[in-house]
Amino acid sequence: MTRARGWALLALALLAPACERALKPGDPLRGLTRRERRRFARGKVVFDRVFTPEKGLGPLFNSTACGECHEKPTAGGRGDEVEVHATALKKGGVCDPLVEEGGFVVQQHTTPALKQALGIDQEPFPPSATARAKRTTAEIFARGLLDAVPESVILAYADPDDKNHDGISGRPNRFVDGRLGRFGRKALVPTLDEFNAGAFSAEMGITNPAVRAEETIGGQPIPAGVDPVADPEIDQHALDLTNAFVRFLALPTPAKLGREGRRGRELFSQIGCAACHVPTLRTGESPVPALRNKEFAAYTDLLLHDMGPDMADICLGLATPSEFRTEPLIDLRHADNYLHDGRAATLQLAIAAHGGEAAGARDRFKALPPGDQNALIAFLKSL
Amino acid sequence: MQRLNRTVALVAMLLLLPAALSAQEELPHTYRGTVHAVHAGSVDLVTGVGYALRLVHLRMQPTTHISGEGGPIAPDDVRPGDVMRADCRLTADGIVAERIELKRRAP
């Protein structure tokens, strides 16, 4: 080998990581094995499968396919569907998810058979509810990475009594069985697989090996003959493939930052956004090498924070009505509305709606000169 | 002959199925969840997977052992919002709790 060729090879080896193709929304993680990539591809087929009543859909449902809601800009992205949640805050601060009245997800559609039997177009709104919430469809990129973040990392960011006096007092939510939650707008659900299995049931009325029984119709049993497909309506294999698809969805590569974006990134930390939207998290051990010990741009601490009375809606688990999990800032460039209920049409309005623990950062953003505000927005739009 | 074998296999399966199911009914089962309501001799537990939450009705017997916070707990002292783990038996009369451990008290 000539010396020149040797230098060229060395330069190639050094430059190769910098030249890695950017990951687009919907791409699989880098470093998956051939088998994992195959499962990702097959899982996408289940994710996009459209269910009909003959295939188990309903009798109550919000959507006919995972991919019907998580669709923009591709499978796994956001969606324009808005669903309804309802719970009751009881005396003493106990949150009732209204399971006796059909659960906190109030499905917006019924199958023709259920409509014929009961004459309803949607699940009846639970009469005991003390609050109602709208929920937009979040993107689900990088959820395998979030799932692989050790609990100890999340708990290390918690400061429920604000002992460091920075005005930020994140605390973890807990599932009904006491485990630490991290998924969902109120961080109720502990693991990704459980979130997916529960979503099959709550969003599409598809029973599966993890959720074997249909939910009630507002607390009443399903009328005979309305849901003739035997439970479970999908098997473990289909559930596993769906889990593989969602777990292996990569974090889309942020756009390259120009000078304005780099200034915005500095301001993001300087004015305090990063206190809750923690820029990077690190995964721990994982049976999947592509998820193991990876640092990634999460922009969340997966904890609950008080967002003030204007944002408040339902309680859920330990989350009070005004507490929400810090939303991961992922693929913001493809979002056309913001916040848990889509109330903000622009990022500026989303920031302005932050209250409670985030009021300080909001006010510091407001006080920035217009050029710096634009820089921060440019940074967010690069994500 | 093949048809006869198939029929015999089918009949055997049908005969064995109820026995298998009844054996399954007696299997121990563990539930973890949040207490929704406490009644005399029973407790309703919110359990489930993800957003698919379900209510489980657990019967308690005089022999049901309830513990938590480092010692035994009286059935009357179980409150809505408590998080518990219940080791149960599935019986023909429903789910019977044999041992209950309170993991966390209601907020």
Side-chain angles (χ1 to χ4, degrees), chain A residues 92 96-97 99-100 104 174-177 184 194 198 201 210-211 213-215 318, chain B residues 32-34 36 46-55 80-81 83 104 106-107:
Chain A
D96 182 352
V99 181
E100 272 184 317
F104 71 92
R174 299 272 170 187
F175 191 57
V176 294
D177 59 8
E194 289 169 81
S201 168
V211 184
E214 296 280 5
E215 77 162 67
L318 299 182
Chain B
R32 294 176 181 84
T34 300
H36 174 69
V46 176
T47 180
V49 176
Y51 281 5
L53 300 180
R54 302 287 184 264
L55 216 51
V83 175
R104 202 188 63 224

Side-chain angles (χ1 to χ4, degrees), chain A residues 89-102:
Chain A
L89 189 58
K90 297 281 181 74
K91 274 184 188 167
V94 174
C95 186
D96 182 352
L98 302 172
V99 181
E100 272 184 317
E101 298 174 15

Side-chain angles (χ1 to χ4, degrees), chain A residues 140-213:
Chain A
I140 51 169
F141 305 129
R143 292 308 189 267
L145 290 162
L146 289 175
D147 193 50
V149 174
E151 284 191 12
S152 58
V153 171
I154 301 168
L155 292 172
Y157 287 107
D159 182 17
D161 302 318
D162 192 20
K163 284 187 178 152
N164 63 2
H165 306 294
D166 66 350
I168 308 294
S169 52
R171 65 178 187 136
N173 201 354
R174 299 272 170 187
F175 191 57
V176 294
D177 59 8
R179 285 176 300 147
L180 183 124
R182 66 177 75 190
F183 291 108
R185 257 48 184 273
K186 296 245 176 190
L188 180 71
V189 183
T191 70
L192 187 59
D193 288 0
E194 289 169 81
F195 194 90
N196 294 341
F200 265 110
S201 168
E203 308 299 350
M204 295 181 287
I206 300 292
T207 54
N208 57 73
V211 184
R212 291 182 166 268

Side-chain angles (χ1 to χ4, degrees), chain A residues 15-368:
Chain A
L15 287 171
C19 295
E20 272 183 335
R21 187 180 66 82
L23 291 167
K24 298 190 302 297
D27 279 351
L29 291 163
R30 283 199 182 98
L32 293 179
T33 63
R34 184 178 293 181
R35 180 175 181 271
E36 287 163 348
R37 287 182 70 95
R38 205 166 49 233
R39 289 174 68 74
F40 175 83
R42 293 171 66 193
K44 183 175 183 300
V45 174
V46 186
F47 191 86
D48 285 334
R49 183 187 296 170
V50 175
F51 289 92
T52 61
E54 295 72 31
K55 294 276 169 82
L57 179 72
L60 290 170
F61 63 98
N62 279 325
S63 184
T64 58
C66 308
E68 185 193 346
C69 291
H70 297 282
E71 61 179 346
K72 192 183 168 196
T74 185
R78 292 178 174 81
D80 49 15
E81 286 79 4
V82 178
E83 62 180 56
V84 176
H85 292 185
T87 60
L89 189 58
K90 297 281 181 74
K91 274 184 188 167
V94 174
C95 186
D96 182 352
L98 302 172
V99 181
E100 272 184 317
E101 298 174 15
F104 71 92
V105 180
V106 185
Q107 287 84 6
Q108 297 300 294
H109 302 289
T110 60
T111 56
L114 184 61
K115 183 172 183 179
Q116 193 174 16
L118 297 181
I120 56 172
D121 291 315
Q122 59 190 53
E123 183 173 33
F125 191 77
S128 304
T130 57
R132 172 194 188 100
K134 285 185 189 172
R135 291 287 179 266
T136 54
T137 308
E139 48 66 39
I140 51 169
F141 305 129
R143 292 308 189 267
L145 290 162
L146 289 175
D147 193 50
V149 174
E151 284 191 12
S152 58
V153 171
I154 301 168
L155 292 172
Y157 287 107
D159 182 17
D161 302 318
D162 192 20
K163 284 187 178 152
N164 63 2
H165 306 294
D166 66 350
I168 308 294
S169 52
R171 65 178 187 136
N173 201 354
R174 299 272 170 187
F175 191 57
V176 294
D177 59 8
R179 285 176 300 147
L180 183 124
R182 66 177 75 190
F183 291 108
R185 257 48 184 273
K186 296 245 176 190
L188 180 71
V189 183
T191 70
L192 187 59
D193 288 0
E194 289 169 81
F195 194 90
N196 294 341
F200 265 110
S201 168
E203 308 299 350
M204 295 181 287
I206 300 292
T207 54
N208 57 73
V211 184
R212 291 182 166 268
E214 296 280 5
E215 77 162 67
T216 58
I217 316 293
Q220 300 304 310
I222 297 169
V226 159
D227 183 37
V229 180
D231 297 320
E233 291 158 338
I234 58 167
D235 61 15
Q236 189 64 50
H237 185 58
L239 191 56
D240 289 344
L241 289 175
T242 312
N243 288 337
F245 171 68
V246 178
R247 182 176 309 284
F248 297 154
L249 276 169
L251 177 77
T253 308
K256 201 165 186 306
L257 292 176
R259 185 188 292 175
E260 186 185 41
R262 288 197 299 274
R263 169 76 181 140
R265 186 173 59 190
E266 282 171 21
L267 289 165
F268 184 82
S269 292
Q270 281 172 18
I271 67 168
C273 308
C276 302
H277 292 285
V278 174
T280 59
L281 291 177
R282 191 173 188 85
T283 63
E285 284 303 310
S286 167
V288 178
L291 292 168
R292 189 182 304 151
N293 298 320
K294 302 286 182 202
E295 193 169 274
F296 66 105
Y299 293 100
T300 178
D301 56 6
L302 297 171
L303 294 171
L304 297 173
H305 293 274
D306 178 19
M307 296 299 289
D310 291 343
M311 200 96 90
D313 52 30
I314 60 168
C315 61
L316 195 61
L318 299 182
T320 62
S322 62
E323 283 181 314
F324 290 84
R325 179 201 64 176
T326 307
E327 187 68 6
L329 304 181
I330 292 175
D331 200 37
L332 286 185
R333 78 194 96 156
H334 288 112
D336 42 32
N337 59 59
Y338 307 91
L339 300 178
H340 54 279
D341 54 4
R343 69 174 70 180
T346 64
L347 282 163
Q348 288 90 336
L349 288 172
I351 295 168
H354 280 53
E357 293 174 43
R362 175 201 63 200
D363 293 343
R364 286 187 286 275
F365 174 79
K366 274 191 202 166
L368 290 173

